[in-house]
């Protein structure tokens, strides 16, 4: 049973689709599609020089050239797919794991205490230090090292968020009734509590995606993961920082796209309708 199912009969109809929410999700959809399909749209190869080093925009290079005279626009279109896919994978895994662990943690005092103490210690580890430690432990892991580090570092905080939101539901009447009826702990966590945390999980996914974008970008800037001559947005910023006065677009363009990707996806996740609130139900919103 869910909190929604516990609402009195005759509740209002489900909310109608709101065009404004669709508009808020549109930038994320367009940018994510562009990042994933960018290699198909690139006018030049990512490794072939087409102009002079740090040449200004014009001619065959709409955004100018990078340090080796390669087309900045082509490298920009190639450099987002891996970053977006990595951030998406991290966000999905972290959110799913945290949602399950957080729901179980509020039903088991022993598990809850263990999760709380572990999360408090793990949260204190800086992201940069965690990525560097894993990179040293797994030197040949490449981008997978960064993904693993982002997952390991992101789960503790996400579990605390889910557990905090699920705690009031653990003592709700419909959960206590299910427990008194002999339902198993798994049923209580996954069938009674988790469905009532849809809004929290959606917002948490957006926050984890933003965090993953910044962690993966930071790792790329430190050359942990993608290596030259790979086309990667964070790597482009590092490689072309020395020529920013000659062709600013070689640095500004990837910086803007990283920021827009993170902001637009987070905006899209918050555009989800608060279904429970609309129906007058005890929906658990963002903590």
């Amino acid at each position: 049973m869910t909190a929604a199912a516990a609402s009195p009969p005759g509740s209002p109809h489900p909310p109608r689709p709101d065009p404004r929410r669709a508009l808020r999700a549109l930038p994320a959809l367009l940018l994510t599609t562009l990042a994933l399909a960018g290699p198909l749209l690139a006018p030049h190869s990512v490794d072939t020089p087409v102009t002079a080093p740090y040449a200004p925009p014009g001619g065959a290079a709409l955004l100018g050239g990078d340090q080796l005279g390669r087309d900045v626009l082509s490298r920009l279109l190639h450099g987002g797919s891996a970053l977006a896919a990595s951030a998406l994978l991290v966000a999905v895994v972290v959110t799913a794991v945290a949602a399950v662990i957080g729901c179980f943690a509020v039903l088991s005092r022993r598990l809850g205490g263990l999760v709380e103490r572990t999360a408090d210690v793990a949260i204190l580890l800086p992201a940069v230090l965690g990525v560097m430690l894993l990179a040293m432990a797994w030197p040949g892991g490449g981008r997978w090292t960064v993904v693993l580090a982002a997952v390991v570092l992101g789960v503790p905080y996400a579990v605390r968020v889910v557990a905090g939101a699920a705690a009031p539901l653990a003592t709700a009447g419909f959960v206590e009734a299910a427990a008194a009826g002999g339902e198993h702990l798994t049923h209580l966590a996954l069938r009674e509590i988790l469905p009532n945390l849809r809004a929290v999980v959606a917002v948490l996914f957006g926050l984890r995606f933003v965090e993953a974008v910044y962690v993966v970008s930071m790792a790329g800037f430190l050359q942990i993961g993608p290596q030259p001559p790979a086309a990667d947005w964070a790597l482009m910023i590092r490689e072309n920082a020395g020529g920013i006065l000659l062709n600013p677009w070689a640095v500004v363009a990837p910086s803007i796209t990283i920021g827009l990707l993170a902001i637009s996806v987070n905006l899209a996740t918050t555009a989800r309708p608060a279904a429970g609130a609309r129906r007058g139900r005890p929906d658990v919103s963002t903590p």
Side-chain angles (χ1 to χ4, degrees):
M1 182 186 297
T2 65
S7 61
S11 57
H13 295 291
R16 297 177 180 177
D18 189 344
R20 292 174 297 182
R21 291 193 173 93
L23 290 176
R24 290 173 65 180
L26 185 60
L29 179 62
L30 293 177
L31 199 55
T32 304
T33 303
L34 183 62
L36 297 177
L40 303 176
L41 306 175
H44 302 289
S45 169
V46 294
D47 300 326
T48 304
V50 297
T51 185
Y54 297 126
L62 292 179
L63 294 179
D66 68 353
Q67 60 174 350
L68 298 178
R70 298 168 297 192
D71 182 28
V72 170
L73 176 61
S74 298
R75 294 182 64 79
L76 189 70
L77 291 172
H78 273 87
S81 56
L83 189 149
S86 300
L88 183 62
L89 176 62
V90 171
V92 170
V93 173
V94 169
T95 304
V97 172
V100 174
I101 295 179
C103 290
F104 277 99
V106 297
L107 296 172
S108 172
R109 182 172 300 179
R110 179 178 299 179
L111 177 60
L114 177 62
V115 167
E116 183 178 355
R117 288 190 292 273
T118 304
D120 288 344
V121 174
I123 288 174
L124 297 177
L125 182 65
V128 177
L129 181 58
V131 171
M132 295 183 71
L133 288 175
L134 280 176
M136 287 189 294
W138 189 12
R143 191 178 292 274
W144 288 107
T145 303
V146 181
V147 172
L148 178 61
V151 171
V152 172
L153 297 172
V155 166
Y157 172 80
V159 169
R160 291 298 301 268
V161 172
V162 175
L169 292 175
T171 57
F174 64 93
V175 176
E176 293 183 343
E183 296 291 354
H184 193 266
L185 193 66
T186 303
H187 177 90
L188 297 178
L190 303 182
R191 301 294 300 275
E192 303 290 347
I193 294 179
L194 185 57
N196 294 292
L197 296 175
R198 293 187 295 271
V200 174
V201 172
V203 174
L204 181 63
F205 172 80
L207 294 175
R208 290 299 91 196
F209 184 88
V210 173
E211 178 69 17
V213 167
Y214 290 140
V215 170
V216 175
S217 300
M218 178 269 298
F221 187 80
L222 297 176
Q223 293 190 355
I224 302 175
Q227 299 293 323
D232 180 88
W233 289 348
L235 206 55
M236 290 176 64
I237 298 173
R238 179 186 176 92
E239 290 177 338
N240 300 308
I244 189 172
L245 296 179
L246 299 175
N247 181 20
W249 285 109
V251 175
V252 173
S255 302
I256 291 177
T257 50
I258 290 174
L260 288 179
L261 178 65
I263 294 173
S264 61
V265 172
N266 191 33
L267 187 66
T269 58
T270 58
R272 179 190 180 277
R278 283 282 192 94
R279 298 166 189 169
R281 294 167 179 168
D283 180 51
V284 179
S285 59
T286 310

